[in-house]
């Protein structure tokens, strides 16, 4: 049987239904026997969306339902719930997922609340709220939809959605670590909506049982963003305000438009420090905060640039530098290195990235940037290479 997905690992489910509808995989219709084996292959990024539009005679909602059931490892009693969850409002021949999305937003939030309450018995409400918010944010849920390719099972009549999802999938394919807040591109809301509507379909189908919902749905949300991850990857705007507050300084972030771009500028005690831009206002703010932190932190006496980085002009790379740096920090009993994008510019097919890496230690924060690269992974490896060389030349290794 032709596969709906490219091959890697398969999850196989058997359905015993003498009257099951025909199944469409890769535009090939296969009659349904009394026992039908449906194989759905799941694998990690990179991602490609070759979605068949709902107006196509090849589009088969029954096939989409079977595929999503396999992803969930759950067979719906009322399959119309899942059909509704997989229907966008642009598809006018059926009810859309909007009502289910409303329920799913609340259900996932409460299921996550129950989980963090039980998993972290000693945390205060503020910390619990941070963990919950990070795991059900639009950014996180959109990446869940990308990882499991849920968009290609949605009926819709909007070419614009195709382009947005494809572009976002390309950006996500460059990421290494979980994103707990704004990445380099704002996530299309439809992706998070799909996850919430599918969660709601499960929730209603199991008679509103939150415990069962969490058992069925948790696998899709993995990896769950933990408190440790949030501590290692703090929100740049929050860190900026906290840092300046400790220094007795006042921070102001102002927004303005430059054509199609949103620009955010950071002022500390009335003086301009840094600016950032993006098509999305929030990401512009994040970029500006990162730039401001870069300037403020690199002025500290223990900045690795002060150890001789300015004298290193030639480009160099250390193979597996990220892993080597992680191991070095472990041996020195330092926290894990923190990577942040300092530059993300250009059209999707010609993106250029510069990554920074910082290591908070008892002596201060070591901070440096790498060379410009065409992939995020390569940019981070370059930053790690620079950090290792700097630590060696400064006598810390």
């Amino acid at each position: 049987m032709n596969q709906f997905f490219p091959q890697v690992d398969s999850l196989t489910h058997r359905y015993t239904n003498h009257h099951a509808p025909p199944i469409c995989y890769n535009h090939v219709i296969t009659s349904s026997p009394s026992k039908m084996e449906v194989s759905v292959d799941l694998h990690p990024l990179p991602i490609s969306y070759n979605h068949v539009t709902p107006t196509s005679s090849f589009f088969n909602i029954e096939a989409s339902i079977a595929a999503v059931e396999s992803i969930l490892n759950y067979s719906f009693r009322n399959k119309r719930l899942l059909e509704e969850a997989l229907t966008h409002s642009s598809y006018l021949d059926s009810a859309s997922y909007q009502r289910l999305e409303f329920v799913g937003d609340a259900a996932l939030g409460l299921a996550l609340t129950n989980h963090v309450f039980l998993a972290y018995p000693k945390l205060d409400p503020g910390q619990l709220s941070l963990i919950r918010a990070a795991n059900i944010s639009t950014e996180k849920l959109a990446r869940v939809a990308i990882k499991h390719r849920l968009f290609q099972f949605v009926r819709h009549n909007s070419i614009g959605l195709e382009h947005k999802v494809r572009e976002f999938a390309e950006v996500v394919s460059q990421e290494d670590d979980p994103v707990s807040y704004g990445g380099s591109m704002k996530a299309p809301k439809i992706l998070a909506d799909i996850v919430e509507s599918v969660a709601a379909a499960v929730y209603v189908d199991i008679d509103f049982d939150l415990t069962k919902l969490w058992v069925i749905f948790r696998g899709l949300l993995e990896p769950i963003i933990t408190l440790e991850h949030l501590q290692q990857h703090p929100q740049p705007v929050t860190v900026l305000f906290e840092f300046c507050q400790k220094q007795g300084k006042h921070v102001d972030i102002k927004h303005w438009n430059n054509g199609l771009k949103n620009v955010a500028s950071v002022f500390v005690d009335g003086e301009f420090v840094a600016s950032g831009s993006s098509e999305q206002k929030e990401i512009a703010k994040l970029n500006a905060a990162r730039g401001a932190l870069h300037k403020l932190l690199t002025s500290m006496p223990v900045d690795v640039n002060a150890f001789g980085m300015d004298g290193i002009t030639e480009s160099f790379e250390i193979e597996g530098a990220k892993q080597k740096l992680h191991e070095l920090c472990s041996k020195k009993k330092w926290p894990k290195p923190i990577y942040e994008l300092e530059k993300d510019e250009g059209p999707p097919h010609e993106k250029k990235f510069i990554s920074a890496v910082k290591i908070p230690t008892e002596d201060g924060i070591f901070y440096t940037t790498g060379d410009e690269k065409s992939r995020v992974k390569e940019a981070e490896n370059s930053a790690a290479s620079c950090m290792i060389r700097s630590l060696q030349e400064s006598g810390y290794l």
Side-chain angles (χ1 to χ4, degrees):
M1 178 185 292
N2 288 337
Q3 301 297 321
F4 197 81
F5 296 104
Q7 294 184 6
V8 173
D9 297 319
S10 64
L11 298 173
T12 303
H13 291 258
R14 292 183 180 274
Y15 296 82
T16 55
N17 184 346
H18 292 272
H19 304 287
I23 298 296
C24 171
Y25 284 95
N26 238 17
H27 304 174
V28 176
I29 304 292
T30 304
S31 297
S32 175
S34 59
K35 272 194 174 182
M36 177 182 68
E37 185 170 284
V38 181
S39 177
V40 180
D41 296 327
L42 308 174
H43 58 88
L45 300 167
I47 289 168
S48 174
Y49 281 99
N50 295 307
H51 185 68
V52 181
T53 61
T55 55
S56 168
S57 59
F58 292 121
F59 188 86
N60 189 300
I61 189 62
E62 287 83 6
S64 291
I65 289 172
V68 174
E69 284 184 324
S70 291
I71 292 171
L72 293 169
N73 195 21
Y74 173 74
S75 182
F76 279 78
R77 295 177 298 174
N78 180 1
K79 299 187 187 299
R80 287 191 176 278
L81 284 169
L82 187 52
E83 178 180 348
E84 184 176 326
L86 297 174
T87 303
H88 186 254
S89 57
S90 63
Y91 185 78
L92 303 179
D93 296 336
S94 178
S96 75
Y97 59 59
Q98 290 176 325
R99 279 175 54 83
L100 285 174
E101 179 225 328
F102 168 76
V103 174
D105 180 28
L108 271 184
L110 189 51
L112 219 299
T113 298
N114 292 346
H115 167 71
V116 298
F117 179 78
L118 295 173
Y120 299 96
K122 296 183 179 180
L123 292 190
D124 61 51
Q127 292 173 310
L128 294 175
S129 296
L130 288 174
I131 299 172
R132 178 182 61 188
N135 281 286
I136 58 173
S137 68
T138 297
E139 296 293 335
K140 171 63 187 288
L141 296 184
R143 284 163 174 78
V144 169
I146 290 292
K147 179 179 179 181
H148 297 286
R149 293 168 172 77
L150 294 178
F151 180 76
Q152 65 183 353
F153 303 119
V154 175
R155 297 188 294 188
H156 69 87
N157 278 314
S158 175
I159 298 300
L161 292 180
E162 295 281 349
H163 296 315
K164 287 182 180 179
V165 171
R166 193 183 303 275
E167 185 180 3
F168 182 69
E170 288 297 321
V171 171
V172 172
S173 70
Q174 307 286 334
E175 299 172 350
D176 276 340
D177 301 318
V179 174
S180 49
Y181 46 79
S184 58
M185 176 183 175
K186 186 176 181 179
K189 186 175 180 294
I190 182 178
L191 293 174
D193 291 346
I194 294 167
V195 176
E196 291 173 344
S197 62
V198 171
V202 173
Y203 183 53
V204 176
D205 199 58
I206 57 177
D207 296 327
F208 305 94
D209 189 321
L210 278 174
T211 302
K212 287 183 180 179
L213 172 63
W214 185 244
V215 170
I216 294 168
F217 219 78
R218 174 173 178 163
L220 267 70
L221 300 179
E222 294 288 355
I224 302 295
I225 295 172
T226 63
L227 179 62
E228 179 185 15
H229 174 85
L230 293 177
Q231 290 172 336
Q232 293 294 328
H233 300 80
Q235 215 274 9
V237 178
T238 302
V239 174
L240 174 63
F241 275 87
E242 289 178 350
F243 176 81
C244 289
Q245 185 179 25
K246 290 179 180 178
Q247 304 296 319
K249 299 179 180 297
H250 174 73
V251 179
D252 187 22
I253 301 179
K254 298 180 180 180
H255 296 269
W256 53 284
N257 293 325
N258 182 12
L260 297 177
K261 292 283 188 179
N262 286 284
V263 180
S265 298
V266 176
F267 295 83
V268 176
D269 285 347
E271 295 186 7
F272 172 79
V273 178
S275 64
S277 64
S278 173
E279 292 181 0
Q280 291 82 36
K281 183 176 179 180
E282 285 303 310
I283 294 178
K285 185 176 180 180
L286 286 171
N287 291 339
R290 289 189 182 103
L293 282 169
H294 183 190
K295 286 190 176 181
L296 293 171
L297 292 173
T298 52
S299 66
M300 296 176 67
V302 294
D303 183 343
V304 293
N305 285 327
F307 297 144
M309 273 301 295
D310 291 337
I312 300 176
T313 57
E314 61 185 30
S315 176
F316 63 90
E317 296 289 334
I318 300 174
E319 185 176 354
K322 282 189 67 178
Q323 181 62 30
K324 287 183 172 63
L325 183 59
H326 180 86
E327 293 170 356
L328 288 170
C329 289
S330 179
K331 290 179 181 178
K332 300 285 286 185
K333 299 189 184 315
W334 290 343
K336 296 178 183 177
I338 300 171
Y339 296 88
E340 296 177 345
L341 279 179
E342 291 295 327
K343 177 181 177 181
D344 177 3
E345 296 178 356
H349 62 287
E350 293 180 352
K351 281 279 189 180
K352 296 297 181 183
F353 303 94
I354 292 179
S355 178
V357 59
K358 64 182 178 181
I359 306 172
T361 73
E362 292 181 355
D363 295 329
I365 299 177
F366 299 143
Y367 187 105
T368 192
T369 58
D371 296 327
E372 184 180 88
K373 299 293 180 181
S374 58
R375 293 176 61 86
V376 172
K377 292 180 182 179
E378 295 171 353
E380 291 180 344
N381 193 75
S382 176
S385 298
C386 289
M387 177 65 79
I388 292 173
R389 177 69 68 87
S390 300
L391 291 172
Q392 288 172 337
E393 294 189 357
S394 64
Y396 274 83
L397 298 180

